[in-house]
Amino acid sequence: MKEIMIATKNPGKVKEFEHIFKPFGVTVKSLFDFPEVEDIEETGTTFEENALLKARSIAQSQNIVVLADDSGLEVDALSGRPGVYSARYAGPGRDDAANIEKVLKELEGIPNQNRGARFVCCLAMAMPTGEEYVVRGTCPGIIATSCTGDEGFGYDPIFYLPELGKTMAQIPKSQKNVLSHRANAFVQLQEILQQLGIKKEA
Ligand code: ITT
């Protein structure tokens, strides 16, 4: 496998995957390199379903190995919301600041011990030949009461990691790439890549 297309238009995700795939010598492309691919509606009710929907449809139409990431934030006190709606929680504008504001408002007055949450990342890899693989990674944390830090993207500024005493937006990319939900899912995907004979370059 020489190249893989990440089925995303989220530049934050593209950057993380470029970093992740570098040791494998696999070139990372994204939907920015395939402007002809139309948006695929995320009609699934689970992260797995949505990731598979995207990967499958693009692998077939573009004849390339595709990795789709469907990810989001699950907040315990909100019964798992925003969940699969994380990107559009505050409405179709997909604005990170508005999404964060909505979560913080809904959690107003809720004490720290009840602000548990997790980031979830499902990765689906689809081959043009029809083989499909899906994995799920998670990363636990606590929703802070305000934003801190400017690394990362999405909900990172309010996602507090108690063991580090920092939010996900206060740690460098290299550290996020080791402990995040995406990193966790990628460890599982790596096992699959290995079984397929795709290994890290020495
Ligand atoms: P694509 O569908 O084009 O991949 P997206 O941003 O719409 O991009 P999702 O549908 O998977 O992606 O929604 C994920 C949302 O969940 C994303 O917009 C963020 O708000 C949040 N999210 C996912 N991973 C995150 C991370 O590592 N840090 C912070 N927020 C994250």
Side-chain angles (χ1 to χ4, degrees), residues 4-10 13-14 17 29-31 37 40 42 51 54-56 58-59 65-70 124:
I4 190 162
M5 197 251 258
I6 314 296
T8 186
K9 278 188 180 161
N10 178 329
K13 285 187 189 175
V14 179
F17 280 113
K29 304 229 158 157
S30 74
L31 284 175
V37 175
I40 290 140
E42 295 180 356
K54 266 193 276 187
R56 184 183 297 149
I58 302 172
V65 179
V66 179
L67 183 69
D69 166 320
D70 197 45

mmCIF file with all atom_site columns, all heavy atoms in Angstrom, residues 4-10 13-14 17 29-31 37 40 42 51 54-56 58-59 65-70 124:
data_model
loop_
_atom_site.group_PDB
_atom_site.id
_atom_site.type_symbol
_atom_site.label_atom_id
_atom_site.label_alt_id
_atom_site.label_comp_id
_atom_site.label_asym_id
_atom_site.label_entity_id
_atom_site.label_seq_id
_atom_site.pdbx_PDB_ins_code
_atom_site.Cartn_x
_atom_site.Cartn_y
_atom_site.Cartn_z
_atom_site.occupancy
_atom_site.B_iso_or_equiv
_atom_site.pdbx_formal_charge
_atom_site.auth_seq_id
_atom_site.auth_comp_id
_atom_site.auth_asym_id
_atom_site.auth_atom_id
_atom_site.pdbx_PDB_model_num
ATOM 1   N N   . ILE A 1 4   ? -2.964  6.186  0.928  1.00 0.00 ? 4   ILE A N   1
ATOM 2   C CA  . ILE A 1 4   ? -4.285  5.950  1.523  1.00 0.00 ? 4   ILE A CA  1
ATOM 3   C C   . ILE A 1 4   ? -5.022  7.278  1.518  1.00 0.00 ? 4   ILE A C   1
ATOM 4   O O   . ILE A 1 4   ? -4.408  8.339  1.710  1.00 0.00 ? 4   ILE A O   1
ATOM 5   C CB  . ILE A 1 4   ? -4.133  5.373  2.950  1.00 0.00 ? 4   ILE A CB  1
ATOM 6   C CG1 . ILE A 1 4   ? -5.483  4.885  3.490  1.00 0.00 ? 4   ILE A CG1 1
ATOM 7   C CG2 . ILE A 1 4   ? -3.506  6.374  3.926  1.00 0.00 ? 4   ILE A CG2 1
ATOM 8   C CD1 . ILE A 1 4   ? -5.360  3.936  4.667  1.00 0.00 ? 4   ILE A CD1 1
ATOM 9   N N   . MET A 1 5   ? -6.313  7.218  1.254  1.00 0.00 ? 5   MET A N   1
ATOM 10  C CA  . MET A 1 5   ? -7.082  8.451  1.283  1.00 0.00 ? 5   MET A CA  1
ATOM 11  C C   . MET A 1 5   ? -7.856  8.524  2.603  1.00 0.00 ? 5   MET A C   1
ATOM 12  O O   . MET A 1 5   ? -8.595  7.597  2.935  1.00 0.00 ? 5   MET A O   1
ATOM 13  C CB  . MET A 1 5   ? -8.065  8.473  0.115  1.00 0.00 ? 5   MET A CB  1
ATOM 14  C CG  . MET A 1 5   ? -8.569  9.864  -0.115 1.00 0.00 ? 5   MET A CG  1
ATOM 15  S SD  . MET A 1 5   ? -10.231 10.077 0.328  1.00 0.00 ? 5   MET A SD  1
ATOM 16  C CE  . MET A 1 5   ? -10.949 10.030 -1.281 1.00 0.00 ? 5   MET A CE  1
ATOM 17  N N   . ILE A 1 6   ? -7.648  9.600  3.321  1.00 0.00 ? 6   ILE A N   1
ATOM 18  C CA  . ILE A 1 6   ? -8.414  9.799  4.548  1.00 0.00 ? 6   ILE A CA  1
ATOM 19  C C   . ILE A 1 6   ? -9.680  10.549 4.127  1.00 0.00 ? 6   ILE A C   1
ATOM 20  O O   . ILE A 1 6   ? -9.602  11.660 3.586  1.00 0.00 ? 6   ILE A O   1
ATOM 21  C CB  . ILE A 1 6   ? -7.623  10.625 5.602  1.00 0.00 ? 6   ILE A CB  1
ATOM 22  C CG1 . ILE A 1 6   ? -6.176  10.124 5.750  1.00 0.00 ? 6   ILE A CG1 1
ATOM 23  C CG2 . ILE A 1 6   ? -8.351  10.609 6.944  1.00 0.00 ? 6   ILE A CG2 1
ATOM 24  C CD1 . ILE A 1 6   ? -6.010  8.726  6.266  1.00 0.00 ? 6   ILE A CD1 1
ATOM 25  N N   . ALA A 1 7   ? -10.822 9.918  4.369  1.00 0.00 ? 7   ALA A N   1
ATOM 26  C CA  . ALA A 1 7   ? -12.084 10.481 3.885  1.00 0.00 ? 7   ALA A CA  1
ATOM 27  C C   . ALA A 1 7   ? -12.552 11.586 4.821  1.00 0.00 ? 7   ALA A C   1
ATOM 28  O O   . ALA A 1 7   ? -13.537 11.439 5.548  1.00 0.00 ? 7   ALA A O   1
ATOM 29  C CB  . ALA A 1 7   ? -13.134 9.379  3.791  1.00 0.00 ? 7   ALA A CB  1
ATOM 30  N N   . THR A 1 8   ? -11.833 12.684 4.809  1.00 0.00 ? 8   THR A N   1
ATOM 31  C CA  . THR A 1 8   ? -12.199 13.778 5.692  1.00 0.00 ? 8   THR A CA  1
ATOM 32  C C   . THR A 1 8   ? -11.896 15.116 5.051  1.00 0.00 ? 8   THR A C   1
ATOM 33  O O   . THR A 1 8   ? -11.020 15.228 4.188  1.00 0.00 ? 8   THR A O   1
ATOM 34  C CB  . THR A 1 8   ? -11.442 13.679 7.038  1.00 0.00 ? 8   THR A CB  1
ATOM 35  O OG1 . THR A 1 8   ? -11.928 14.687 7.923  1.00 0.00 ? 8   THR A OG1 1
ATOM 36  C CG2 . THR A 1 8   ? -9.948  13.866 6.879  1.00 0.00 ? 8   THR A CG2 1
ATOM 37  N N   . LYS A 1 9   ? -12.636 16.136 5.512  1.00 0.00 ? 9   LYS A N   1
ATOM 38  C CA  . LYS A 1 9   ? -12.329 17.512 5.113  1.00 0.00 ? 9   LYS A CA  1
ATOM 39  C C   . LYS A 1 9   ? -11.965 18.292 6.369  1.00 0.00 ? 9   LYS A C   1
ATOM 40  O O   . LYS A 1 9   ? -12.014 19.515 6.393  1.00 0.00 ? 9   LYS A O   1
ATOM 41  C CB  . LYS A 1 9   ? -13.552 18.137 4.436  1.00 0.00 ? 9   LYS A CB  1
ATOM 42  C CG  . LYS A 1 9   ? -13.657 17.741 2.974  1.00 0.00 ? 9   LYS A CG  1
ATOM 43  C CD  . LYS A 1 9   ? -14.748 18.529 2.279  1.00 0.00 ? 9   LYS A CD  1
ATOM 44  C CE  . LYS A 1 9   ? -14.857 18.124 0.827  1.00 0.00 ? 9   LYS A CE  1
ATOM 45  N NZ  . LYS A 1 9   ? -16.146 18.505 0.241  1.00 0.00 ? 9   LYS A NZ  1
ATOM 46  N N   . ASN A 1 10  ? -11.627 17.559 7.415  1.00 0.00 ? 10  ASN A N   1
ATOM 47  C CA  . ASN A 1 10  ? -11.232 18.203 8.669  1.00 0.00 ? 10  ASN A CA  1
ATOM 48  C C   . ASN A 1 10  ? -9.699  18.280 8.701  1.00 0.00 ? 10  ASN A C   1
ATOM 49  O O   . ASN A 1 10  ? -9.028  17.266 8.846  1.00 0.00 ? 10  ASN A O   1
ATOM 50  C CB  . ASN A 1 10  ? -11.781 17.354 9.833  1.00 0.00 ? 10  ASN A CB  1
ATOM 51  C CG  . ASN A 1 10  ? -11.398 17.910 11.199 1.00 0.00 ? 10  ASN A CG  1
ATOM 52  O OD1 . ASN A 1 10  ? -10.351 18.515 11.352 1.00 0.00 ? 10  ASN A OD1 1
ATOM 53  N ND2 . ASN A 1 10  ? -12.250 17.678 12.177 1.00 0.00 ? 10  ASN A ND2 1
ATOM 54  N N   . LYS A 1 13  ? -7.833  16.509 11.489 1.00 0.00 ? 13  LYS A N   1
ATOM 55  C CA  . LYS A 1 13  ? -7.701  15.048 11.357 1.00 0.00 ? 13  LYS A CA  1
ATOM 56  C C   . LYS A 1 13  ? -6.607  14.714 10.337 1.00 0.00 ? 13  LYS A C   1
ATOM 57  O O   . LYS A 1 13  ? -5.818  13.808 10.556 1.00 0.00 ? 13  LYS A O   1
ATOM 58  C CB  . LYS A 1 13  ? -9.016  14.435 10.877 1.00 0.00 ? 13  LYS A CB  1
ATOM 59  C CG  . LYS A 1 13  ? -10.106 14.359 11.924 1.00 0.00 ? 13  LYS A CG  1
ATOM 60  C CD  . LYS A 1 13  ? -11.267 13.561 11.321 1.00 0.00 ? 13  LYS A CD  1
ATOM 61  C CE  . LYS A 1 13  ? -12.503 13.580 12.172 1.00 0.00 ? 13  LYS A CE  1
ATOM 62  N NZ  . LYS A 1 13  ? -13.623 12.904 11.497 1.00 0.00 ? 13  LYS A NZ  1
ATOM 63  N N   . VAL A 1 14  ? -6.578  15.435 9.215  1.00 0.00 ? 14  VAL A N   1
ATOM 64  C CA  . VAL A 1 14  ? -5.576  15.149 8.174  1.00 0.00 ? 14  VAL A CA  1
ATOM 65  C C   . VAL A 1 14  ? -4.176  15.242 8.776  1.00 0.00 ? 14  VAL A C   1
ATOM 66  O O   . VAL A 1 14  ? -3.355  14.337 8.612  1.00 0.00 ? 14  VAL A O   1
ATOM 67  C CB  . VAL A 1 14  ? -5.696  16.122 6.971  1.00 0.00 ? 14  VAL A CB  1
ATOM 68  C CG1 . VAL A 1 14  ? -4.632  15.817 5.922  1.00 0.00 ? 14  VAL A CG1 1
ATOM 69  C CG2 . VAL A 1 14  ? -7.080  16.036 6.335  1.00 0.00 ? 14  VAL A CG2 1
ATOM 70  N N   . PHE A 1 17  ? -3.333  12.259 10.963 1.00 0.00 ? 17  PHE A N   1
ATOM 71  C CA  . PHE A 1 17  ? -3.079  11.022 10.212 1.00 0.00 ? 17  PHE A CA  1
ATOM 72  C C   . PHE A 1 17  ? -1.769  11.073 9.428  1.00 0.00 ? 17  PHE A C   1
ATOM 73  O O   . PHE A 1 17  ? -1.112  10.056 9.278  1.00 0.00 ? 17  PHE A O   1
ATOM 74  C CB  . PHE A 1 17  ? -4.256  10.691 9.280  1.00 0.00 ? 17  PHE A CB  1
ATOM 75  C CG  . PHE A 1 17  ? -5.382  10.042 10.015 1.00 0.00 ? 17  PHE A CG  1
ATOM 76  C CD1 . PHE A 1 17  ? -6.586  10.686 10.174 1.00 0.00 ? 17  PHE A CD1 1
ATOM 77  C CD2 . PHE A 1 17  ? -5.220  8.779  10.575 1.00 0.00 ? 17  PHE A CD2 1
ATOM 78  C CE1 . PHE A 1 17  ? -7.627  10.097 10.877 1.00 0.00 ? 17  PHE A CE1 1
ATOM 79  C CE2 . PHE A 1 17  ? -6.249  8.175  11.279 1.00 0.00 ? 17  PHE A CE2 1
ATOM 80  C CZ  . PHE A 1 17  ? -7.457  8.836  11.427 1.00 0.00 ? 17  PHE A CZ  1
ATOM 81  N N   . LYS A 1 29  ? -3.505  11.038 1.536  1.00 0.00 ? 29  LYS A N   1
ATOM 82  C CA  . LYS A 1 29  ? -4.302  11.995 0.765  1.00 0.00 ? 29  LYS A CA  1
ATOM 83  C C   . LYS A 1 29  ? -5.592  12.233 1.535  1.00 0.00 ? 29  LYS A C   1
ATOM 84  O O   . LYS A 1 29  ? -5.907  11.467 2.454  1.00 0.00 ? 29  LYS A O   1
ATOM 85  C CB  . LYS A 1 29  ? -4.623  11.411 -0.606 1.00 0.00 ? 29  LYS A CB  1
ATOM 86  C CG  . LYS A 1 29  ? -3.380  10.996 -1.377 1.00 0.00 ? 29  LYS A CG  1
ATOM 87  C CD  . LYS A 1 29  ? -3.423  11.543 -2.768 1.00 0.00 ? 29  LYS A CD  1
ATOM 88  C CE  . LYS A 1 29  ? -2.030  11.615 -3.323 1.00 0.00 ? 29  LYS A CE  1
ATOM 89  N NZ  . LYS A 1 29  ? -1.996  11.620 -4.752 1.00 0.00 ? 29  LYS A NZ  1
ATOM 90  N N   . SER A 1 30  ? -6.314  13.252 1.134  1.00 0.00 ? 30  SER A N   1
ATOM 91  C CA  . SER A 1 30  ? -7.590  13.493 1.816  1.00 0.00 ? 30  SER A CA  1
ATOM 92  C C   . SER A 1 30  ? -8.613  13.955 0.797  1.00 0.00 ? 30  SER A C   1
ATOM 93  O O   . SER A 1 30  ? -8.295  14.073 -0.395 1.00 0.00 ? 30  SER A O   1
ATOM 94  C CB  . SER A 1 30  ? -7.421  14.564 2.894  1.00 0.00 ? 30  SER A CB  1
ATOM 95  O OG  . SER A 1 30  ? -7.293  15.825 2.276  1.00 0.00 ? 30  SER A OG  1
ATOM 96  N N   . LEU A 1 31  ? -9.800  14.266 1.248  1.00 0.00 ? 31  LEU A N   1
ATOM 97  C CA  . LEU A 1 31  ? -10.842 14.721 0.316  1.00 0.00 ? 31  LEU A CA  1
ATOM 98  C C   . LEU A 1 31  ? -10.453 16.035 -0.357 1.00 0.00 ? 31  LEU A C   1
ATOM 99  O O   . LEU A 1 31  ? -10.978 16.370 -1.411 1.00 0.00 ? 31  LEU A O   1
ATOM 100 C CB  . LEU A 1 31  ? -12.187 14.855 1.041  1.00 0.00 ? 31  LEU A CB  1
ATOM 101 C CG  . LEU A 1 31  ? -12.899 13.528 1.323  1.00 0.00 ? 31  LEU A CG  1
ATOM 102 C CD1 . LEU A 1 31  ? -14.155 13.759 2.156  1.00 0.00 ? 31  LEU A CD1 1
ATOM 103 C CD2 . LEU A 1 31  ? -13.278 12.807 0.016  1.00 0.00 ? 31  LEU A CD2 1
ATOM 104 N N   . VAL A 1 37  ? -15.260 14.223 -5.275 1.00 0.00 ? 37  VAL A N   1
ATOM 105 C CA  . VAL A 1 37  ? -16.051 13.340 -4.404 1.00 0.00 ? 37  VAL A CA  1
ATOM 106 C C   . VAL A 1 37  ? -17.098 14.169 -3.667 1.00 0.00 ? 37  VAL A C   1
ATOM 107 O O   . VAL A 1 37  ? -16.770 15.151 -2.989 1.00 0.00 ? 37  VAL A O   1
ATOM 108 C CB  . VAL A 1 37  ? -15.142 12.597 -3.385 1.00 0.00 ? 37  VAL A CB  1
ATOM 109 C CG1 . VAL A 1 37  ? -15.975 11.770 -2.415 1.00 0.00 ? 37  VAL A CG1 1
ATOM 110 C CG2 . VAL A 1 37  ? -14.140 11.713 -4.112 1.00 0.00 ? 37  VAL A CG2 1
ATOM 111 N N   . ILE A 1 40  ? -20.708 12.723 1.636  1.00 0.00 ? 40  ILE A N   1
ATOM 112 C CA  . ILE A 1 40  ? -21.508 11.539 1.945  1.00 0.00 ? 40  ILE A CA  1
ATOM 113 C C   . ILE A 1 40  ? -22.230 11.822 3.259  1.00 0.00 ? 40  ILE A C   1
ATOM 114 O O   . ILE A 1 40  ? -21.593 12.175 4.262  1.00 0.00 ? 40  ILE A O   1
ATOM 115 C CB  . ILE A 1 40  ? -20.616 10.295 2.054  1.00 0.00 ? 40  ILE A CB  1
ATOM 116 C CG1 . ILE A 1 40  ? -20.115 9.957  0.653  1.00 0.00 ? 40  ILE A CG1 1
ATOM 117 C CG2 . ILE A 1 40  ? -21.354 9.101  2.650  1.00 0.00 ? 40  ILE A CG2 1
ATOM 118 C CD1 . ILE A 1 40  ? -18.722 9.521  0.586  1.00 0.00 ? 40  ILE A CD1 1
ATOM 119 N N   . GLU A 1 42  ? -23.845 11.526 6.720  1.00 0.00 ? 42  GLU A N   1
ATOM 120 C CA  . GLU A 1 42  ? -23.596 10.630 7.851  1.00 0.00 ? 42  GLU A CA  1
ATOM 121 C C   . GLU A 1 42  ? -24.948 10.246 8.449  1.00 0.00 ? 42  GLU A C   1
ATOM 122 O O   . GLU A 1 42  ? -25.407 10.827 9.411  1.00 0.00 ? 42  GLU A O   1
ATOM 123 C CB  . GLU A 1 42  ? -22.684 11.314 8.866  1.00 0.00 ? 42  GLU A CB  1
ATOM 124 C CG  . GLU A 1 42  ? -21.305 11.572 8.283  1.00 0.00 ? 42  GLU A CG  1
ATOM 125 C CD  . GLU A 1 42  ? -20.323 12.249 9.232  1.00 0.00 ? 42  GLU A CD  1
ATOM 126 O OE1 . GLU A 1 42  ? -20.709 12.616 10.356 1.00 0.00 ? 42  GLU A OE1 1
ATOM 127 O OE2 . GLU A 1 42  ? -19.161 12.412 8.832  1.00 0.00 ? 42  GLU A OE2 1
ATOM 128 N N   . ALA A 1 51  ? -18.571 5.688  9.783  1.00 0.00 ? 51  ALA A N   1
ATOM 129 C CA  . ALA A 1 51  ? -17.219 5.542  9.237  1.00 0.00 ? 51  ALA A CA  1
ATOM 130 C C   . ALA A 1 51  ? -17.239 4.560  8.060  1.00 0.00 ? 51  ALA A C   1
ATOM 131 O O   . ALA A 1 51  ? -16.643 4.822  7.011  1.00 0.00 ? 51  ALA A O   1
ATOM 132 C CB  . ALA A 1 51  ? -16.261 5.071  10.331 1.00 0.00 ? 51  ALA A CB  1
ATOM 133 N N   . LYS A 1 54  ? -18.839 5.973  4.766  1.00 0.00 ? 54  LYS A N   1
ATOM 134 C CA  . LYS A 1 54  ? -17.939 6.858  4.020  1.00 0.00 ? 54  LYS A CA  1
ATOM 135 C C   . LYS A 1 54  ? -16.843 6.069  3.319  1.00 0.00 ? 54  LYS A C   1
ATOM 136 O O   . LYS A 1 54  ? -16.599 6.240  2.133  1.00 0.00 ? 54  LYS A O   1
ATOM 137 C CB  . LYS A 1 54  ? -17.272 7.852  4.992  1.00 0.00 ? 54  LYS A CB  1
ATOM 138 C CG  . LYS A 1 54  ? -17.991 9.157  5.118  1.00 0.00 ? 54  LYS A CG  1
ATOM 139 C CD  . LYS A 1 54  ? -17.144 10.202 5.826  1.00 0.00 ? 54  LYS A CD  1
ATOM 140 C CE  . LYS A 1 54  ? -17.243 10.079 7.329  1.00 0.00 ? 54  LYS A CE  1
ATOM 141 N NZ  . LYS A 1 54  ? -16.577 11.161 8.058  1.00 0.00 ? 54  LYS A NZ  1
ATOM 142 N N   . ALA A 1 55  ? -16.160 5.194  4.090  1.00 0.00 ? 55  ALA A N   1
ATOM 143 C CA  . ALA A 1 55  ? -15.001 4.481  3.536  1.00 0.00 ? 55  ALA A CA  1
ATOM 144 C C   . ALA A 1 55  ? -15.418 3.619  2.349  1.00 0.00 ? 55  ALA A C   1
ATOM 145 O O   . ALA A 1 55  ? -14.785 3.647  1.295  1.00 0.00 ? 55  ALA A O   1
ATOM 146 C CB  . ALA A 1 55  ? -14.349 3.628  4.622  1.00 0.00 ? 55  ALA A CB  1
ATOM 147 N N   . ARG A 1 56  ? -16.508 2.895  2.528  1.00 0.00 ? 56  ARG A N   1
ATOM 148 C CA  . ARG A 1 56  ? -16.973 1.954  1.499  1.00 0.00 ? 56  ARG A CA  1
ATOM 149 C C   . ARG A 1 56  ? -17.300 2.691  0.209  1.00 0.00 ? 56  ARG A C   1
ATOM 150 O O   . ARG A 1 56  ? -16.836 2.327  -0.866 1.00 0.00 ? 56  ARG A O   1
ATOM 151 C CB  . ARG A 1 56  ? -18.234 1.261  2.033  1.00 0.00 ? 56  ARG A CB  1
ATOM 152 C CG  . ARG A 1 56  ? -18.791 0.203  1.137  1.00 0.00 ? 56  ARG A CG  1
ATOM 153 C CD  . ARG A 1 56  ? -20.067 -0.350 1.753  1.00 0.00 ? 56  ARG A CD  1
ATOM 154 N NE  . ARG A 1 56  ? -19.834 -0.996 3.037  1.00 0.00 ? 56  ARG A NE  1
ATOM 155 C CZ  . ARG A 1 56  ? -20.724 -1.035 4.041  1.00 0.00 ? 56  ARG A CZ  1
ATOM 156 N NH1 . ARG A 1 56  ? -21.890 -0.420 3.929  1.00 0.00 ? 56  ARG A NH1 1
ATOM 157 N NH2 . ARG A 1 56  ? -20.442 -1.667 5.160  1.00 0.00 ? 56  ARG A NH2 1
ATOM 158 N N   . ILE A 1 58  ? -16.440 5.640  -0.958 1.00 0.00 ? 58  ILE A N   1
ATOM 159 C CA  . ILE A 1 58  ? -15.344 6.304  -1.681 1.00 0.00 ? 58  ILE A CA  1
ATOM 160 C C   . ILE A 1 58  ? -14.353 5.286  -2.242 1.00 0.00 ? 58  ILE A C   1
ATOM 161 O O   . ILE A 1 58  ? -13.823 5.463  -3.338 1.00 0.00 ? 58  ILE A O   1
ATOM 162 C CB  . ILE A 1 58  ? -14.654 7.350  -0.784 1.00 0.00 ? 58  ILE A CB  1
ATOM 163 C CG1 . ILE A 1 58  ? -15.684 8.386  -0.321 1.00 0.00 ? 58  ILE A CG1 1
ATOM 164 C CG2 . ILE A 1 58  ? -13.522 8.048  -1.526 1.00 0.00 ? 58  ILE A CG2 1
ATOM 165 C CD1 . ILE A 1 58  ? -15.194 9.354  0.719  1.00 0.00 ? 58  ILE A CD1 1
ATOM 166 N N   . ALA A 1 59  ? -14.113 4.188  -1.499 1.00 0.00 ? 59  ALA A N   1
ATOM 167 C CA  . ALA A 1 59  ? -13.186 3.164  -2.001 1.00 0.00 ? 59  ALA A CA  1
ATOM 168 C C   . ALA A 1 59  ? -13.695 2.608  -3.330 1.00 0.00 ? 59  ALA A C   1
ATOM 169 O O   . ALA A 1 59  ? -12.925 2.370  -4.256 1.00 0.00 ? 59  ALA A O   1
ATOM 170 C CB  . ALA A 1 59  ? -13.020 2.043  -0.979 1.00 0.00 ? 59  ALA A CB  1
ATOM 171 N N   . VAL A 1 65  ? -7.516  2.790  -1.526 1.00 0.00 ? 65  VAL A N   1
ATOM 172 C CA  . VAL A 1 65  ? -7.754  2.382  -0.140 1.00 0.00 ? 65  VAL A CA  1
ATOM 173 C C   . VAL A 1 65  ? -8.196  3.623  0.632  1.00 0.00 ? 65  VAL A C   1
ATOM 174 O O   . VAL A 1 65  ? -7.565  4.680  0.547  1.00 0.00 ? 65  VAL A O   1
ATOM 175 C CB  . VAL A 1 65  ? -6.469  1.804  0.507  1.00 0.00 ? 65  VAL A CB  1
ATOM 176 C CG1 . VAL A 1 65  ? -6.728  1.399  1.951  1.00 0.00 ? 65  VAL A CG1 1
ATOM 177 C CG2 . VAL A 1 65  ? -5.946  0.623  -0.306 1.00 0.00 ? 65  VAL A CG2 1
ATOM 178 N N   . VAL A 1 66  ? -9.284  3.500  1.371  1.00 0.00 ? 66  VAL A N   1
ATOM 179 C CA  . VAL A 1 66  ? -9.838  4.661  2.078  1.00 0.00 ? 66  VAL A CA  1
ATOM 180 C C   . VAL A 1 66  ? -9.941  4.377  3.569  1.00 0.00 ? 66  VAL A C   1
ATOM 181 O O   . VAL A 1 66  ? -10.369 3.292  3.988  1.00 0.00 ? 66  VAL A O   1
ATOM 182 C CB  . VAL A 1 66  ? -11.253 5.014  1.548  1.00 0.00 ? 66  VAL A CB  1
ATOM 183 C CG1 . VAL A 1 66  ? -11.834 6.196  2.313  1.00 0.00 ? 66  VAL A CG1 1
ATOM 184 C CG2 . VAL A 1 66  ? -11.206 5.341  0.070  1.00 0.00 ? 66  VAL A CG2 1
ATOM 185 N N   . LEU A 1 67  ? -9.537  5.367  4.355  1.00 0.00 ? 67  LEU A N   1
ATOM 186 C CA  . LEU A 1 67  ? -9.710  5.284  5.800  1.00 0.00 ? 67  LEU A CA  1
ATOM 187 C C   . LEU A 1 67  ? -10.657 6.402  6.208  1.00 0.00 ? 67  LEU A C   1
ATOM 188 O O   . LEU A 1 67  ? -10.395 7.575  5.911  1.00 0.00 ? 67  LEU A O   1
ATOM 189 C CB  . LEU A 1 67  ? -8.357  5.457  6.496  1.00 0.00 ? 67  LEU A CB  1
ATOM 190 C CG  . LEU A 1 67  ? -8.386  5.324  8.014  1.00 0.00 ? 67  LEU A CG  1
ATOM 191 C CD1 . LEU A 1 67  ? -8.667  3.892  8.430  1.00 0.00 ? 67  LEU A CD1 1
ATOM 192 C CD2 . LEU A 1 67  ? -7.077  5.775  8.625  1.00 0.00 ? 67  LEU A CD2 1
ATOM 193 N N   . ALA A 1 68  ? -11.769 6.045  6.825  1.00 0.00 ? 68  ALA A N   1
ATOM 194 C CA  . ALA A 1 68  ? -12.703 7.072  7.284  1.00 0.00 ? 68  ALA A CA  1
ATOM 195 C C   . ALA A 1 68  ? -12.708 7.078  8.802  1.00 0.00 ? 68  ALA A C   1
ATOM 196 O O   . ALA A 1 68  ? -12.649 6.028  9.437  1.00 0.00 ? 68  ALA A O   1
ATOM 197 C CB  . ALA A 1 68  ? -14.100 6.795  6.753  1.00 0.00 ? 68  ALA A CB  1
ATOM 198 N N   . ASP A 1 69  ? -12.749 8.281  9.338  1.00 0.00 ? 69  ASP A N   1
ATOM 199 C CA  . ASP A 1 69  ? -12.738 8.456  10.787 1.00 0.00 ? 69  ASP A CA  1
ATOM 200 C C   . ASP A 1 69  ? -14.058 9.084  11.161 1.00 0.00 ? 69  ASP A C   1
ATOM 201 O O   . ASP A 1 69  ? -14.405 10.150 10.654 1.00 0.00 ? 69  ASP A O   1
ATOM 202 C CB  . ASP A 1 69  ? -11.566 9.389  11.126 1.00 0.00 ? 69  ASP A CB  1
ATOM 203 C CG  . ASP A 1 69  ? -11.577 9.974  12.526 1.00 0.00 ? 69  ASP A CG  1
ATOM 204 O OD1 . ASP A 1 69  ? -12.667 10.351 13.021 1.00 0.00 ? 69  ASP A OD1 1
ATOM 205 O OD2 . ASP A 1 69  ? -10.504 10.075 13.118 1.00 0.00 ? 69  ASP A OD2 1
ATOM 206 N N   . ASP A 1 70  ? -14.845 8.423  11.988 1.00 0.00 ? 70  ASP A N   1
ATOM 207 C CA  . ASP A 1 70  ? -16.006 9.105  12.545 1.00 0.00 ? 70  ASP A CA  1
ATOM 208 C C   . ASP A 1 70  ? -15.748 9.175  14.033 1.00 0.00 ? 70  ASP A C   1
ATOM 209 O O   . ASP A 1 70  ? -15.515 8.152  14.690 1.00 0.00 ? 70  ASP A O   1
ATOM 210 C CB  . ASP A 1 70  ? -17.329 8.400  12.230 1.00 0.00 ? 70  ASP A CB  1
ATOM 211 C CG  . ASP A 1 70  ? -18.495 9.362  12.457 1.00 0.00 ? 70  ASP A CG  1
ATOM 212 O OD1 . ASP A 1 70  ? -18.397 10.528 12.011 1.00 0.00 ? 70  ASP A OD1 1
ATOM 213 O OD2 . ASP A 1 70  ? -19.479 8.972  13.104 1.00 0.00 ? 70  ASP A OD2 1
ATOM 214 N N   . ALA A 1 124 ? -12.701 3.198  9.944  1.00 0.00 ? 124 ALA A N   1
ATOM 215 C CA  . ALA A 1 124 ? -13.095 2.136  9.003  1.00 0.00 ? 124 ALA A CA  1
ATOM 216 C C   . ALA A 1 124 ? -12.162 2.219  7.811  1.00 0.00 ? 124 ALA A C   1
ATOM 217 O O   . ALA A 1 124 ? -11.949 3.300  7.258  1.00 0.00 ? 124 ALA A O   1
ATOM 218 C CB  . ALA A 1 124 ? -14.537 2.329  8.557  1.00 0.00 ? 124 ALA A CB  1
#
